[in-house]
Coordinates of all heavy atoms in Angstrom, one line a residue:
H1 N -27.3 4.4 0.7 CA -26.9 3.6 -0.4 C -25.8 2.6 0.0 O -24.8 3.1 0.6 CB -26.5 4.4 -1.6 CG -26.4 3.6 -2.9 ND1 -25.2 3.0 -3.2 CD2 -27.2 3.4 -3.8 CE1 -25.3 2.4 -4.4 NE2 -26.6 2.6 -4.8
P2 N -25.9 1.3 -0.2 CA -24.9 0.3 0.2 C -23.5 0.6 -0.2 O -22.5 0.4 0.5 CB -25.4 -1.0 -0.4 CG -26.9 -0.8 -0.6 CD -27.0 0.7 -0.9
D3 N -23.3 1.1 -1.5 CA -22.0 1.4 -2.0 C -21.3 2.5 -1.1 O -20.1 2.4 -0.8 CB -22.0 1.8 -3.4 CG -22.2 0.6 -4.4 OD1 -22.1 -0.5 -3.9 OD2 -22.6 0.9 -5.5
N4 N -22.1 3.5 -0.8 CA -21.6 4.6 0.0 C -21.2 4.1 1.4 O -20.2 4.6 2.0 CB -22.6 5.8 0.1 CG -22.7 6.5 -1.2 OD1 -21.9 6.4 -2.1 ND2 -23.8 7.2 -1.3
Q5 N -22.0 3.2 2.0 CA -21.7 2.7 3.3 C -20.4 1.9 3.3 O -19.6 2.0 4.2 CB -22.9 1.8 3.8 CG -24.1 2.6 4.1 CD -25.3 1.7 4.4 OE1 -25.3 0.5 4.1 NE2 -26.3 2.3 5.0
R6 N -20.2 1.1 2.2 CA -19.0 0.3 2.1 C -17.8 1.2 2.0 O -16.7 1.0 2.6 CB -19.1 -0.7 1.0 CG -19.9 -1.9 1.3 CD -19.7 -3.0 0.2 NE -20.3 -2.5 -1.1 CZ -21.4 -2.9 -1.6 NH1 -22.2 -3.8 -0.9 NH2 -21.9 -2.5 -2.7
R7 N -17.9 2.2 1.1 CA -16.8 3.2 0.9 C -16.5 3.9 2.2 O -15.3 4.0 2.6 CB -17.2 4.2 -0.1 CG -16.1 5.2 -0.4 CD -16.5 6.4 -1.2 NE -17.4 7.2 -0.5 CZ -18.5 7.7 -0.9 NH1 -18.8 7.7 -2.2 NH2 -19.4 8.4 -0.2
D8 N -17.5 4.3 2.9 CA -17.2 5.0 4.2 C -16.6 4.1 5.2 O -15.7 4.5 6.0 CB -18.5 5.6 4.8 CG -19.1 6.7 4.0 OD1 -18.4 7.3 3.1 OD2 -20.3 7.0 4.1
F9 N -17.0 2.8 5.3 CA -16.3 1.9 6.1 C -14.9 1.7 5.8 O -14.0 1.7 6.7 CB -17.0 0.5 6.1 CG -16.3 -0.6 6.8 CD1 -16.4 -0.7 8.1 CD2 -15.5 -1.5 6.0 CE1 -15.6 -1.7 8.8 CE2 -14.8 -2.5 6.7 CZ -14.9 -2.6 8.1
V10 N -14.5 1.6 4.5 CA -13.2 1.4 4.1 C -12.3 2.6 4.4 O -11.2 2.5 5.0 CB -13.1 1.1 2.6 CG1 -11.6 1.2 2.1 CG2 -13.7 -0.3 2.3
L11 N -12.9 3.8 4.1 CA -12.2 5.1 4.5 C -11.9 5.2 5.9 O -10.8 5.5 6.3 CB -13.0 6.3 4.0 CG -13.0 6.5 2.4 CD1 -14.0 7.6 2.1 CD2 -11.6 6.7 1.9
R12 N -12.9 4.9 6.8 CA -12.7 5.0 8.2 C -11.6 4.0 8.7 O -10.8 4.3 9.5 CB -14.0 4.7 9.0 CG -14.9 5.9 9.1 CD -16.0 5.7 10.1 NE -16.8 4.4 9.9 CZ -17.8 4.2 9.0 NH1 -18.2 5.2 8.3 NH2 -18.4 3.1 8.9
S13 N -11.6 2.8 8.1 CA -10.6 1.8 8.5 C -9.2 2.2 8.1 O -8.3 2.0 8.8 CB -11.0 0.4 7.8 OG -12.2 -0.1 8.2
L14 N -9.1 2.8 6.9 CA -7.8 3.2 6.4 C -7.3 4.4 7.2 O -6.1 4.5 7.6 CB -7.8 3.6 4.9 CG -8.2 2.4 4.0 CD1 -8.3 2.9 2.6 CD2 -7.1 1.3 4.1
E15 N -8.2 5.3 7.5 CA -7.8 6.5 8.3 C -7.3 6.1 9.7 O -6.5 6.8 10.3 CB -9.0 7.5 8.4 CG -9.3 8.2 7.2 CD -10.6 8.9 7.2 OE1 -11.4 8.8 8.2 OE2 -10.9 9.7 6.3
G16 N -7.7 5.0 10.2 CA -7.3 4.6 11.6 C -6.0 3.8 11.6 O -5.5 3.4 12.7
D17 N -5.4 3.7 10.5 CA -4.1 2.9 10.4 C -3.0 3.9 10.1 O -2.9 4.5 9.0 CB -4.2 1.9 9.3 CG -3.0 0.9 9.3 OD1 -1.9 1.3 9.7 OD2 -3.2 -0.3 9.0
A18 N -2.1 4.1 11.1 CA -1.0 5.1 10.9 C 0.0 4.8 9.8 O 0.7 5.6 9.3 CB -0.2 5.2 12.2
R19 N 0.0 3.5 9.3 CA 0.9 3.1 8.2 C 0.4 3.6 6.9 O 1.1 3.4 5.9 CB 1.1 1.6 8.3 CG 1.6 1.1 9.6 CD 1.5 -0.4 9.6 NE 0.1 -0.8 9.5 CZ -0.3 -2.1 9.5 NH1 0.6 -3.1 9.6 NH2 -1.6 -2.4 9.4
I20 N -0.8 4.1 6.8 CA -1.5 4.4 5.5 C -1.7 5.8 5.4 O -2.3 6.5 6.3 CB -2.8 3.6 5.4 CG1 -2.5 2.1 5.5 CG2 -3.5 4.0 4.1 CD1 -3.8 1.2 5.5
T21 N -1.3 6.4 4.2 CA -1.6 7.8 3.8 C -2.6 7.7 2.7 O -2.4 7.0 1.7 CB -0.4 8.5 3.4 OG1 0.6 8.5 4.5 CG2 -0.7 10.0 3.0
I22 N -3.7 8.4 2.8 CA -4.8 8.3 1.8 C -4.7 9.5 0.9 O -4.5 10.6 1.2 CB -6.2 8.3 2.5 CG1 -6.3 7.2 3.5 CG2 -7.3 8.3 1.5 CD1 -7.5 7.2 4.4
G23 N -4.8 9.1 -0.4 CA -4.8 10.1 -1.5 C -6.3 10.6 -1.7 O -7.2 10.4 -0.9
V24 N -6.5 11.3 -2.9 CA -7.7 11.8 -3.3 C -8.6 10.8 -4.0 O -8.1 10.2 -5.0 CB -7.5 13.1 -4.1 CG1 -8.9 13.6 -4.6 CG2 -6.8 14.1 -3.4
L25 N -9.8 10.6 -3.5 CA -10.7 9.6 -4.2 C -11.1 10.2 -5.6 O -11.4 11.3 -5.7 CB -12.0 9.5 -3.3 CG -13.0 8.5 -3.9 CD1 -12.5 7.1 -3.9 CD2 -14.3 8.6 -3.0
H26 N -10.9 9.3 -6.6 CA -11.2 9.7 -8.0 C -12.2 8.6 -8.5 O -11.7 7.5 -8.7 CB -10.0 9.8 -8.8 CG -10.3 10.1 -10.2 ND1 -10.7 11.4 -10.6 CD2 -10.2 9.4 -11.4 CE1 -10.8 11.4 -12.0 NE2 -10.5 10.2 -12.4
E27 N -13.4 8.9 -8.7 CA -14.5 8.0 -9.1 C -14.5 6.8 -8.1 O -14.8 7.0 -6.9 CB -14.3 7.6 -10.5 CG -14.5 8.7 -11.5 CD -14.3 8.3 -12.9 OE1 -14.3 7.1 -13.2 OE2 -14.2 9.2 -13.8
H28 N -14.1 5.6 -8.5 CA -14.1 4.5 -7.6 C -12.7 4.0 -7.3 O -12.5 2.9 -6.8 CB -14.9 3.3 -8.2 CG -16.3 3.6 -8.4 ND1 -17.2 3.8 -7.3 CD2 -17.0 3.9 -9.5 CE1 -18.4 4.1 -7.8 NE2 -18.3 4.1 -9.1
R29 N -11.7 4.9 -7.4 CA -10.3 4.6 -7.2 C -9.8 5.5 -6.1 O -10.0 6.7 -6.0 CB -9.4 4.7 -8.4 CG -9.8 3.7 -9.5 CD -9.0 4.0 -10.7 NE -9.1 2.9 -11.7 CZ -8.2 2.0 -11.9 NH1 -7.1 2.0 -11.2 NH2 -8.5 1.0 -12.7
L30 N -9.0 4.8 -5.1 CA -8.5 5.5 -4.0 C -7.0 5.2 -3.9 O -6.6 4.1 -3.5 CB -9.2 5.2 -2.7 CG -8.7 5.8 -1.5 CD1 -8.9 7.3 -1.5 CD2 -9.3 5.2 -0.2
P31 N -6.1 6.1 -4.2 CA -4.7 5.9 -4.0 C -4.3 5.9 -2.6 O -4.8 6.8 -1.8 CB -4.0 7.0 -4.9 CG -5.0 8.1 -4.9 CD -6.4 7.5 -4.8
I32 N -3.5 5.0 -2.2 CA -2.9 5.0 -0.8 C -1.4 4.8 -0.8 O -0.9 4.2 -1.8 CB -3.6 4.0 0.1 CG1 -3.4 2.6 -0.3 CG2 -5.1 4.3 0.3 CD1 -3.9 1.6 0.7
V33 N -0.7 5.2 0.2 CA 0.7 5.0 0.3 C 0.9 4.2 1.6 O 0.3 4.6 2.6 CB 1.5 6.3 0.3 CG1 3.0 6.0 0.6 CG2 1.3 7.0 -1.0
L34 N 1.6 3.1 1.6 CA 1.9 2.4 2.8 C 3.3 2.6 3.2 O 4.3 2.7 2.4 CB 1.8 0.9 2.5 CG 0.5 0.4 1.9 CD1 0.6 -1.1 1.6 CD2 -0.7 0.7 2.8
E35 N 3.5 2.8 4.5 CA 4.8 2.9 5.1 C 5.0 1.7 6.1 O 4.4 1.7 7.1 CB 4.9 4.2 5.9 CG 4.8 5.4 5.1 CD 6.1 6.2 4.9 OE1 7.1 5.7 5.5 OE2 6.1 7.1 4.2
T36 N 5.7 0.7 5.6 CA 5.8 -0.6 6.4 C 7.3 -0.9 6.7 O 8.2 -0.3 6.1 CB 5.2 -1.7 5.6 OG1 6.0 -2.0 4.4 CG2 3.7 -1.5 5.2
T37 N 7.5 -1.9 7.5 CA 8.8 -2.3 7.9 C 9.4 -3.4 6.9 O 10.5 -3.7 7.0 CB 8.8 -2.9 9.3 OG1 7.9 -4.0 9.4 CG2 8.4 -1.8 10.3
G38 N 8.6 -3.9 6.0 CA 9.1 -4.9 5.1 C 8.0 -5.6 4.3 O 6.8 -5.3 4.5
A39 N 8.4 -6.6 3.6 CA 7.5 -7.4 2.7 C 6.4 -8.1 3.5 O 5.3 -8.2 3.0 CB 8.3 -8.4 1.9
D40 N 6.7 -8.6 4.7 CA 5.7 -9.3 5.4 C 4.6 -8.4 5.8 O 3.4 -8.7 5.7 CB 6.3 -10.0 6.7 CG 7.2 -11.2 6.4 OD1 7.1 -11.7 5.2 OD2 8.1 -11.5 7.2
E41 N 4.9 -7.2 6.3 CA 3.9 -6.2 6.7 C 3.1 -5.7 5.4 O 1.9 -5.5 5.5 CB 4.5 -5.1 7.4 CG 3.5 -4.2 8.1 CD 4.2 -3.1 8.9 OE1 5.4 -3.0 9.0 OE2 3.4 -2.4 9.6
D42 N 3.9 -5.6 4.3 CA 3.2 -5.2 3.0 C 2.1 -6.3 2.7 O 1.0 -5.9 2.4 CB 4.2 -5.2 1.9 CG 5.2 -4.1 1.9 OD1 5.0 -3.2 2.7 OD2 6.2 -4.2 1.2
Q43 N 2.4 -7.5 2.8 CA 1.5 -8.6 2.5 C 0.3 -8.6 3.5 O -0.8 -8.9 3.1 CB 2.2 -10.0 2.5 CG 1.4 -11.1 2.1 CD 1.0 -11.0 0.6 OE1 1.8 -10.8 -0.2 NE2 -0.3 -11.1 0.3
E44 N 0.6 -8.4 4.8 CA -0.4 -8.3 5.8 C -1.5 -7.2 5.4 O -2.7 -7.5 5.4 CB 0.2 -8.0 7.1 CG -0.8 -7.8 8.2 CD -0.2 -7.2 9.5 OE1 1.0 -7.5 9.7 OE2 -0.9 -6.5 10.2
I45 N -1.0 -6.0 5.1 CA -1.9 -5.0 4.7 C -2.7 -5.3 3.4 O -3.9 -5.1 3.3 CB -1.2 -3.6 4.6 CG1 -0.7 -3.2 6.0 CG2 -2.1 -2.5 4.1 CD1 0.2 -2.0 6.0
W46 N -1.9 -5.8 2.4 CA -2.5 -6.2 1.2 C -3.7 -7.2 1.4 O -4.8 -7.0 0.9 CB -1.5 -6.9 0.3 CG -1.9 -7.5 -1.0 CD1 -2.5 -8.8 -1.1 CD2 -1.9 -7.0 -2.3 NE1 -2.8 -9.0 -2.4 CE2 -2.4 -7.9 -3.2 CE3 -1.4 -5.8 -2.8 CZ2 -2.5 -7.7 -4.5 CZ3 -1.5 -5.6 -4.1 CH2 -2.0 -6.5 -5.0
N47 N -3.5 -8.2 2.3 CA -4.5 -9.2 2.6 C -5.7 -8.5 3.3 O -6.9 -8.8 3.0 CB -4.0 -10.3 3.5 CG -3.0 -11.2 2.7 OD1 -2.9 -11.2 1.5 ND2 -2.2 -11.8 3.5
Q48 N -5.5 -7.6 4.2 CA -6.5 -6.9 4.9 C -7.3 -6.0 3.9 O -8.6 -6.0 4.0 CB -5.9 -5.9 6.0 CG -5.4 -6.7 7.1 CD -4.6 -5.7 8.1 OE1 -4.5 -4.6 7.9 NE2 -4.2 -6.3 9.2
L49 N -6.7 -5.4 3.0 CA -7.4 -4.5 2.0 C -8.3 -5.4 1.1 O -9.4 -5.0 0.9 CB -6.4 -3.8 1.1 CG -5.6 -2.7 1.8 CD1 -4.5 -2.2 0.8 CD2 -6.5 -1.5 2.1
Q50 N -7.8 -6.5 0.7 CA -8.6 -7.4 -0.2 C -9.8 -8.0 0.5 O -10.8 -8.3 -0.2 CB -7.7 -8.5 -0.8 CG -6.7 -8.0 -1.8 CD -6.0 -9.1 -2.5 OE1 -5.8 -10.2 -2.0 NE2 -5.6 -8.8 -3.7
Q51 N -9.7 -8.1 1.8 CA -10.9 -8.7 2.6 C -11.9 -7.6 3.0 O -13.0 -8.0 3.5 CB -10.3 -9.4 3.8 CG -9.5 -10.6 3.5 CD -8.9 -11.2 4.7 OE1 -9.1 -10.8 5.8 NE2 -8.0 -12.2 4.5
M52 N -11.6 -6.4 2.8 CA -12.6 -5.3 3.2 C -13.8 -5.3 2.2 O -13.6 -5.4 1.0 CB -11.9 -3.9 3.1 CG -11.0 -3.7 4.2 SD -10.3 -2.0 4.1 CE -9.5 -1.9 5.7
P53 N -15.0 -5.2 2.8 CA -16.2 -5.1 2.0 C -16.1 -3.9 1.1 O -15.8 -2.8 1.5 CB -17.3 -4.9 3.0 CG -16.8 -5.1 4.3 CD -15.3 -5.1 4.2
G54 N -16.4 -4.1 -0.2 CA -16.4 -3.0 -1.2 C -15.1 -2.8 -1.9 O -15.0 -2.1 -2.9
V55 N -14.0 -3.4 -1.4 CA -12.7 -3.3 -2.1 C -12.7 -4.5 -3.2 O -12.8 -5.6 -2.8 CB -11.5 -3.5 -1.2 CG1 -10.2 -3.6 -2.0 CG2 -11.5 -2.3 -0.2
M56 N -12.7 -4.0 -4.4 CA -12.8 -5.0 -5.5 C -11.4 -5.4 -6.1 O -11.2 -6.4 -6.6 CB -13.7 -4.4 -6.6 CG -15.1 -4.2 -6.1 SD -16.1 -3.4 -7.3 CE -16.4 -4.7 -8.4
F57 N -10.5 -4.5 -6.0 CA -9.2 -4.7 -6.6 C -8.1 -3.9 -5.9 O -8.3 -2.7 -5.5 CB -9.2 -4.3 -8.1 CG -8.0 -4.7 -8.9 CD1 -7.7 -6.0 -9.2 CD2 -7.1 -3.7 -9.3 CE1 -6.6 -6.3 -9.9 CE2 -6.0 -4.0 -10.0 CZ -5.7 -5.3 -10.3
V58 N -6.9 -4.5 -5.7 CA -5.8 -3.8 -5.1 C -4.7 -3.8 -6.1 O -4.3 -4.9 -6.5 CB -5.3 -4.4 -3.7 CG1 -4.1 -3.7 -3.2 CG2 -6.5 -4.4 -2.7
D59 N -4.2 -2.7 -6.5 CA -3.2 -2.6 -7.6 C -1.9 -2.0 -7.0 O -2.0 -0.9 -6.4 CB -3.7 -1.8 -8.7 CG -2.8 -1.8 -9.9 OD1 -1.9 -2.7 -10.0 OD2 -3.0 -1.0 -10.8
V60 N -0.8 -2.6 -7.1 CA 0.5 -2.1 -6.7 C 1.1 -1.3 -7.8 O 1.3 -1.8 -8.9 CB 1.4 -3.2 -6.2 CG1 2.8 -2.7 -5.9 CG2 0.8 -4.0 -5.1
V61 N 1.4 0.0 -7.5 CA 2.0 0.8 -8.5 C 3.5 0.9 -8.3 O 4.3 0.9 -9.3 CB 1.4 2.3 -8.4 CG1 2.1 3.2 -9.3 CG2 -0.1 2.2 -8.6
C62 N 4.0 0.9 -7.1 CA 5.4 1.0 -6.9 C 5.8 0.4 -5.5 O 5.0 0.5 -4.6 CB 5.8 2.5 -6.9 SG 7.6 2.8 -6.5
V63 N 6.9 -0.3 -5.5 CA 7.4 -0.8 -4.2 C 8.8 -0.3 -4.0 O 9.7 -0.4 -5.0 CB 7.4 -2.4 -4.2 CG1 8.1 -2.9 -2.9 CG2 6.0 -2.9 -4.4
H64 N 9.1 0.3 -2.9 CA 10.5 0.8 -2.6 C 10.9 0.4 -1.2 O 10.1 0.6 -0.3 CB 10.5 2.3 -2.7 CG 11.8 2.9 -2.3 ND1 12.9 2.8 -3.1 CD2 12.2 3.5 -1.2 CE1 14.0 3.4 -2.5 NE2 13.5 3.8 -1.3
H65 N 12.0 -0.3 -1.1 CA 12.5 -0.7 0.2 C 13.9 -0.1 0.3 O 14.7 -0.1 -0.6 CB 12.6 -2.2 0.3 CG 11.3 -3.0 0.3 ND1 10.5 -3.0 1.4 CD2 10.7 -3.7 -0.7 CE1 9.4 -3.7 1.0 NE2 9.5 -4.1 -0.2
D66 N 14.1 0.5 1.5 CA 15.4 1.2 1.7 C 16.6 0.1 1.6 O 17.7 0.4 1.1 CB 15.5 1.9 3.0 CG 14.7 3.1 3.0 OD1 14.4 3.7 1.9 OD2 14.3 3.6 4.1
E67 N 16.3 -1.1 2.1 CA 17.3 -2.1 2.0 C 16.7 -3.3 1.4 O 15.6 -3.7 1.8 CB 17.9 -2.4 3.4 CG 18.7 -1.3 3.9 CD 19.5 -1.7 5.2 OE1 19.7 -3.0 5.4 OE2 19.9 -0.9 5.9
V68 N 17.4 -4.0 0.5 CA 16.9 -5.2 -0.2 C 17.9 -6.2 0.0 O 19.1 -6.1 -0.5 CB 16.6 -4.9 -1.7 CG1 16.1 -6.2 -2.3 CG2 15.5 -3.8 -1.8
M69 N 17.6 -7.3 0.6 CA 18.5 -8.5 0.8 C 19.9 -8.0 1.3 O 20.9 -8.5 0.8 CB 18.7 -9.2 -0.5 CG 17.4 -9.8 -1.0 SD 17.4 -10.9 -2.4 CE 18.8 -10.4 -3.4
G70 N 19.9 -7.1 2.2 CA 21.1 -6.7 2.9 C 21.9 -5.7 2.1 O 23.0 -5.3 2.5
H71 N 21.5 -5.3 0.9 CA 22.2 -4.3 0.1 C 21.5 -3.0 0.1 O 20.2 -2.9 0.3 CB 22.2 -4.8 -1.4 CG 22.9 -6.1 -1.6 ND1 24.3 -6.3 -1.3 CD2 22.5 -7.3 -2.1 CE1 24.6 -7.5 -1.6 NE2 23.6 -8.1 -2.0
D72 N 22.2 -1.9 0.0 CA 21.6 -0.6 -0.1 C 20.9 -0.5 -1.4 O 21.4 -0.7 -2.5 CB 22.7 0.5 0.0 CG 22.2 1.9 0.1 OD1 21.0 2.1 -0.3 OD2 22.9 2.7 0.6
A73 N 19.5 -0.3 -1.4 CA 18.7 -0.3 -2.6 C 19.1 0.8 -3.5 O 18.7 0.8 -4.7 CB 17.2 -0.2 -2.2
R74 N 19.8 1.8 -3.1 CA 20.2 3.0 -3.9 C 21.4 2.6 -4.8 O 21.7 3.4 -5.7 CB 20.4 4.2 -3.1 CG 19.2 4.7 -2.4 CD 19.5 5.7 -1.4 NE 20.3 5.0 -0.3 CZ 20.6 5.6 0.8 NH1 20.4 6.8 1.1 NH2 21.3 4.9 1.7
R75 N 22.0 1.5 -4.6 CA 23.2 1.1 -5.3 C 22.9 -0.2 -6.0 O 22.3 -1.1 -5.4 CB 24.4 1.0 -4.4 CG 24.7 2.3 -3.7 CD 25.8 2.1 -2.7 NE 26.8 1.3 -3.2 CZ 27.9 1.0 -2.6 NH1 28.1 1.5 -1.4 NH2 28.9 0.3 -3.1
S76 N 23.5 -0.4 -7.1 CA 23.4 -1.7 -7.8 C 24.4 -2.6 -7.2 O 25.6 -2.2 -6.9 CB 23.7 -1.5 -9.3 OG 24.0 -2.7 -9.9
P77 N 24.1 -3.9 -7.0 CA 25.1 -4.9 -6.5 C 26.3 -5.0 -7.4 O 27.3 -5.4 -7.0 CB 24.3 -6.2 -6.4 CG 22.9 -5.8 -6.6 CD 22.8 -4.5 -7.2
A78 N 26.1 -4.7 -8.7 CA 27.2 -4.8 -9.6 C 28.3 -3.7 -9.5 O 29.3 -3.8 -10.0 CB 26.7 -4.9 -11.0
V79 N 27.9 -2.6 -8.8 CA 28.8 -1.4 -8.7 C 29.7 -1.7 -7.5 O 29.3 -1.9 -6.4 CB 28.0 -0.1 -8.5 CG1 28.9 1.0 -8.3 CG2 27.1 0.1 -9.7
K80 N 31.0 -1.6 -7.7 CA 32.0 -1.7 -6.6 C 32.5 -0.4 -6.2 O 32.6 0.5 -7.0 CB 33.2 -2.6 -7.1 CG 32.8 -4.0 -7.5 CD 34.0 -4.8 -7.9 CE 33.6 -6.2 -8.2 NZ 34.7 -7.0 -8.6
D81 N 32.8 -0.3 -4.9 CA 33.4 1.0 -4.4 C 34.8 1.1 -4.9 O 35.6 0.2 -5.0 CB 33.5 0.9 -2.9 CG 32.1 1.0 -2.2 OD1 31.2 1.6 -2.8 OD2 32.0 0.5 -1.1
E82 N 35.1 2.3 -5.3 CA 36.5 2.6 -5.8 C 37.3 2.9 -4.6 O 36.9 3.5 -3.6 CB 36.4 3.9 -6.7 CG 35.7 3.6 -8.0 CD 36.3 2.6 -8.9 OE1 37.6 2.5 -8.9 OE2 35.6 1.8 -9.5
P83 N 38.6 2.5 -4.6 CA 39.5 2.7 -3.4 C 39.8 4.2 -3.3 O 39.7 5.0 -4.1 CB 40.8 1.9 -3.7 CG 40.6 1.5 -5.2 CD 39.2 1.7 -5.6

């Protein structure tokens, strides 16, 4: 069946990318987690996913960067260190 062939192609492609961790397939949805070096690499993978045969939609659930614009992402820029 063509849908199964497209799904298998996508799964094989994702499994071959060390930056991607694959979750459990639920109906026609497949959660994945990306481990990237930054926004440019995020966008690169996003574009690759959208171009894969059988991928109809890519939804971002959460984005977490350890550092954002030179600030530690775990701290608010409005919080000052106490002496």
Side-chain angles (χ1 to χ4, degrees):
H1 190 271
D3 287 341
N4 290 342
Q5 291 173 344
R6 284 191 292 257
R7 183 191 65 220
D8 292 345
F9 169 79
V10 169
L11 288 173
R12 280 193 310 275
S13 298
L14 296 177
E15 288 170 349
D17 192 325
R19 303 169 297 179
I20 298 174
T21 302
I22 301 172
V24 177
L25 181 65
H26 179 71
E27 296 181 13
H28 297 290
R29 293 177 171 256
L30 178 67
I32 63 172
V33 175
L34 305 179
E35 298 254 354
T36 65
T37 58
D40 290 340
E41 193 174 5
D42 292 346
Q43 186 65 51
E44 174 191 331
I45 294 173
W46 173 278
N47 293 341
Q48 290 172 355
L49 290 170
Q50 289 186 332
Q51 293 173 7
M52 288 182 167
V55 174
M56 299 174 73
F57 187 73
V58 177
D59 190 16
V60 175
V61 176
C62 177
V63 175
H64 173 77
H65 295 284
D66 288 338
E67 292 190 21
V68 178
M69 298 186 334
H71 299 298
D72 187 336
R74 294 168 293 188
R75 298 175 45 179
S76 167
V79 175
K80 295 183 180 181
D81 290 332
E82 295 296 322

